[in-house]
Amino acid sequence: MTTLEELYRRIRTCPDCPLSETRTHAVPGEGPPDAEVMFIGEGPGYHEDRQGRPFVGPAGKFLEELLEGIGLRRDQVYITNVVKCRPPNNRDPLPSEIAACRKYLEAQIALIRPRVIVTLGRHSLAWFFPKDSISKVHGQVRRKDGMYFLHLYHPAAALHQPAMRETIEEDFKKLGQVLEEARRESASPQPMERAEQMRLF
Ligand code: URA
């Protein structure tokens, strides 16, 4: 898969798991191809399935508010999900469905190469760190495969729980900090580049 457009075409016509039989629209994801930050949710809900766009319902509205709080707009970040088609009645995606969809998120990460990945909820966390529990690692920043990761509870969990809302708002502040750190790091040469500049190789 060489371009995002080609990838989106494949996702929209994907027949690889039973969710393809019940979806209205597949929801590939959206955002700039060079986005610095990628948000990864669980899977499309009712509104996303109708519109073919990620996080356009109430959870998406909360996500937009959180972004605004740190001076970012929705159209500056990339937003996608672990599974691209809605599980019926918003049930959890099955391991087999997550496995069938894995190649698409892998390709999105490879094409976009974000500096920071924000996992939203436990399925997204488990996609990268299957042994971890969201209640232990939420709000934590760590590195893997040259990217920063920040783990958040799913914004939908906050919609009816004020305490959870506060936790997510607090955790979200880390995104501004980690983004600054990632930008600083990419502005200063890495050890190998520095060595090359000094003609050590
Ligand atoms: N919840 C998700 O996990 N993803 C969406 O796109 C919408 C709601």
Side-chain angles (χ1 to χ4, degrees):
M1 281 178 254
T2 50
T3 64
L4 276 176
E5 287 67 32
E6 166 63 13
L7 182 61
Y8 294 166
R9 234 187 336 269
R10 298 234 341 231
I11 292 171
R12 290 195 180 104
T13 55
C14 176
D16 291 353
C17 89
L19 295 182
S20 62
E21 292 159 23
T22 51
R23 72 180 174 222
T24 311
H25 295 108
V27 181
E30 64 185 24
D34 58 350
E36 293 179 294
V37 186
M38 179 183 281
F39 286 86
I40 304 175
E42 177 178 323
Y46 172 82
H47 299 281
E48 292 75 23
D49 174 70
R50 301 309 292 261
Q51 295 184 39
R53 296 181 57 209
F55 282 95
V56 288
K61 190 163 177 298
F62 181 40
L63 183 59
E64 286 172 26
E65 285 168 23
L66 290 165
L67 282 168
E68 203 178 316
I70 61 162
L72 284 175
R73 288 186 324 269
R74 178 191 171 101
D75 63 7
Q76 293 176 300
V77 301
Y78 195 85
I79 306 177
T80 189
N81 284 298
V82 165
V83 295
K84 312 303 190 201
C85 297
R86 182 189 184 204
N89 304 314
N90 297 345
R91 66 159 169 74
D92 285 353
L94 301 173
S96 56
E97 294 158 356
I98 293 173
C101 223
R102 193 168 185 93
K103 55 187 175 289
Y104 297 129
L105 185 50
E106 281 173 354
Q108 282 168 312
I109 294 168
L111 287 166
I112 293 164
R113 300 174 54 82
R115 295 185 207 274
V116 183
I117 288 185
V118 183
T119 62
L120 301 173
R122 64 194 168 89
H123 290 287
S124 179
L125 168 68
W127 200 92
F128 298 96
F129 301 95
K131 295 203 178 103
D132 289 354
S133 138
I134 183 76
S135 58
K136 293 221 177 74
V137 303
H138 74 89
Q140 282 184 20
V141 172
R142 55 184 153 174
R143 303 206 63 166
K144 185 182 176 184
D145 302 333
M147 294 174 290
Y148 285 89
F149 285 80
L150 171 63
H151 307 300
L152 301 182
Y153 282 112
H154 197 288
L159 293 178
H160 307 291
Q161 299 180 62
M164 179 65 88
R165 194 180 175 100
E166 260 175 49
T167 304
I168 297 182
E169 283 168 355
E170 199 51 41
D171 290 348
F172 205 89
K173 290 182 192 153
K174 294 252 174 77
L175 178 56
Q177 297 163 13
V178 72
L179 192 51
E180 252 175 54
E181 169 72 25
R183 284 175 180 159
R184 245 198 320 272
E185 196 180 280
S186 72
S188 68
Q190 299 301 295
M192 182 59 96
E193 292 171 26
R194 223 176 284 141
E196 282 166 358
Q197 283 169 6
M198 291 163 67
R199 298 184 190 284
L200 294 178
F201 291 94

